[in-house]
Amino acid sequence: SQQGEEDPQALSIQEGENATMNCSYKTSINNLQWYRQNSGRGLVHLILIRSNEREKHSGRLRVTLDTSKKSSSLLITASRAADTASYFCAYGRVSGTASKLTFGTGTRLQVTL
Amino acid sequence: NAGVTQTPKFRVLKTGQSMTLLCAQDMNHEYMYWYRQDPGMGLRLIHYSVGEGTTAKGEVPDGYNVSRLKKQNFLLGLESAAPSQTSVYFCASSLLAGGRDTQYFGPGTRLTVL
């Protein structure tokens, strides 16, 4: 399977702590994206980092990309109960005329008060 | 601006029945996608479209058909439903090609096939 792999599968932390999720992939990529999915809802885009970028920030989110190791990490700082959700990485590949986004299996984050 | 909408939200079918899922987007996006989400599997691409009148197979196309007669709509059909098609189905759209751009997702359709 070409699916990305995420680690850990589940993460439980207390409010105020930082949460780190990792994503690994196997092919050359154009970009890597992170999405959030609240229970029973659709996916919402969080951040996109291009293959020539190493780090990107958006509010409390920090994403890193290491193309030599084919891995990315998502850091959520000062987590809140509202951050409780599943988080998916997705990497974009461009091959010939095909251009596709491949999703990882996700990390379930639980933030408790 | 509703974004991406999906109809219906829930559906229960018996094996062998057929149905059509409707996806609509109001962002004037060229690219549209149908995914299925199963526990522990992430999202897998079923079919996609790069523009009005075009469709292409994704990773898991068997048992499904699609049509894109209008730019804003993308229909997913199940001709003869099977229990293995029990899943949550998501539609998405993007301005640029799938591997280059952010995708915007609908709220999903939960389908159960008995």
Side-chain angles (χ1 to χ4, degrees):
Chain A
S1 170
Q2 293 291 320
Q3 277 191 306
E5 294 183 4
E6 295 188 57
D7 169 54
Q9 289 187 329
L11 179 61
S12 182
I13 60 174
Q14 290 190 320
E15 203 172 46
E17 294 181 334
N18 295 341
T20 300
M21 295 159 243
N22 303 295
C23 171
S24 61
Y25 56 91
K26 298 178 181 177
T27 68
S28 296
I29 64 172
N30 174 272
N31 65 77
L32 191 135
Q33 305 178 33
W34 287 89
Y35 290 79
R36 183 186 73 217
Q37 183 181 35
N38 289 90
S39 180
R41 311 290 282 273
L43 278 72
V44 175
H45 180 258
L46 294 176
I47 196 165
L48 181 154
I49 184 167
R50 303 201 181 280
S51 59
N52 61 352
E53 297 176 309
R54 292 294 168 258
E55 187 170 313
K56 203 162 185 179
H57 296 256
S58 177
R60 294 183 296 112
L61 306 180
R62 172 178 170 255
V63 169
T64 62
L65 178 64
D66 187 335
T67 53
S68 66
K69 295 182 179 178
K70 291 186 167 55
S71 67
S72 174
S73 66
L74 170 67
L75 169 67
I76 303 174
T77 60
S79 62
R80 306 167 182 168
D83 294 329
T84 294
S86 291
Y87 292 81
F88 293 88
C89 69
Y91 57 90
R93 296 178 291 147
V94 179
S95 176
T97 57
S99 177
K100 297 178 183 178
L101 202 59
T102 301
F103 285 83
T105 51
T107 293
R108 292 189 310 278
L109 173 65
Q110 176 77 41
V111 181
T112 56
L113 296 173
Chain B
N1 191 337
V4 180
T5 58
Q6 292 182 233
T7 309
K9 289 185 168 54
F10 303 93
R11 187 71 185 269
V12 178
L13 292 178
K14 294 181 179 179
T15 297
Q17 288 185 317
S18 64
M19 77 163 294
T20 300
L21 281 68
L22 171 64
C23 175
Q25 53 94 4
D26 60 3
M27 296 174 283
N28 202 33
H29 285 171
E30 289 290 340
Y31 299 85
M32 296 187 74
Y33 316 86
W34 276 107
Y35 294 91
R36 60 177 288 172
Q37 184 178 34
D38 301 294
M41 298 288 290
L43 273 76
R44 292 182 292 169
L45 183 64
I46 304 171
H47 286 280
Y48 63 101
S49 169
V50 301
E52 181 179 315
T54 74
T55 64
K57 294 180 180 180
E59 182 185 355
V60 289
D62 294 342
Y64 305 95
N65 57 75
V66 288
S67 64
R68 184 117 180 253
L69 299 179
K70 293 183 179 181
K71 186 177 184 178
Q72 63 267 36
N73 296 336
F74 195 28
L75 279 63
L76 177 71
L78 285 73
E79 293 179 344
S80 179
S84 61
Q85 294 177 305
T86 293
S87 187
V88 182
Y89 292 85
F90 289 98
C91 176
S93 70
S94 64
L95 184 62
L96 303 178
R100 298 184 185 277
D101 196 12
T102 299
Q103 293 189 10
Y104 295 84
F105 284 81
T109 294
R110 186 174 294 275
L111 174 66
T112 301
V113 182
L114 303 175

